[in-house]
Every structure is written in C-alpha cells, then in structure tokens.
Amino acid sequence: MNDERYALLVVKSQVSKGHGINRIQQVLTQKGITKTICQQVLFDTEYDWFAIAKRKAFKKYHGRPAADYKEKAKRIRYLLAQGFRYDEVQYALSESE
C-alpha cells in the first residue's frame, strides 16, 4: 500500500472519530507520513471541518449552553485538543448556545 492511500485511510478513520485537522496531521506525522503527502491528502479531501466540530460539540454537550465563562473555556480547550482550529471551535460553540 502506498503512502497516499494509507494516509487517506487514516484521515477517514480519524474523521469518523470526530477529530479535527490539526490532530489528524499529528497522527499522520506519528505514523511516518511525510508533511508533503499529509498536506496533499488533507487538501484533496472535502470534509466540512466546521460541521464536524459542531457535531463533536453537540455530541459532547447535547446542545446545552455553557453555564459560565469557566465552562465555556473548558469547552474551547476540549475542542482545541480534539484538533479543531479556533475559528471552527468558535463556530461550533456559537451554534450550540
């Protein structure tokens, strides 16, 4: 199996787990995929990262708004740790509140 096909399988697997693009890049790098192939595969895929972030936030928090600033910060940290970019996190949380 060539690196591109393997990278596509890893990306598909990670997206099904609800991970964002940053985390997927990290996983690909850990698995020995070159940065060039990693960027090419992620660029060629047509995932809606905003929708994936929104789905992840809804699954975790069931659409409930954050009670206070501390809770909102906790949610932001969680989604950032899942590999989403800050603009995707903001979108996911603003839609659920």
Side-chain angles (χ1 to χ4, degrees):
M1 181 182 295
N2 65 16
D3 284 347
E4 285 184 40
R5 256 181 78 190
Y6 179 67
L8 278 171
L9 290 174
V10 171
V11 168
K12 188 175 180 180
S13 170
Q14 293 295 309
V15 167
S16 70
K17 293 178 183 178
H19 295 154
I21 196 165
N22 292 334
R23 184 156 178 185
I24 294 171
Q25 285 177 328
Q26 183 181 25
V27 168
L28 288 171
T29 302
Q30 288 175 346
K31 293 191 177 285
I33 304 298
T34 63
K35 191 170 186 166
T36 306
I37 292 175
C38 176
Q39 290 174 345
Q40 179 185 357
V41 167
L42 288 171
F43 181 74
D44 290 344
T45 59
E46 295 184 9
Y47 292 108
D48 183 358
W49 299 108
F50 289 92
I52 295 169
K54 182 179 174 184
R55 196 174 330 127
K56 184 79 167 188
F58 187 81
K59 183 178 178 183
K60 176 81 173 174
Y61 303 111
H62 307 287
R64 292 186 308 260
D68 56 2
Y69 179 76
K70 189 175 180 180
E71 177 66 25
K72 186 171 183 175
K74 184 177 178 181
R75 292 178 182 198
I76 290 170
R77 281 192 310 274
Y78 172 75
L79 290 172
L80 288 173
Q82 293 301 306
F84 296 103
R85 294 178 295 218
Y86 191 73
D87 56 338
E88 296 161 351
V89 171
Q90 288 295 95
Y91 174 80
L93 294 179
S94 68
E95 292 294 314
S96 68
E97 293 179 358

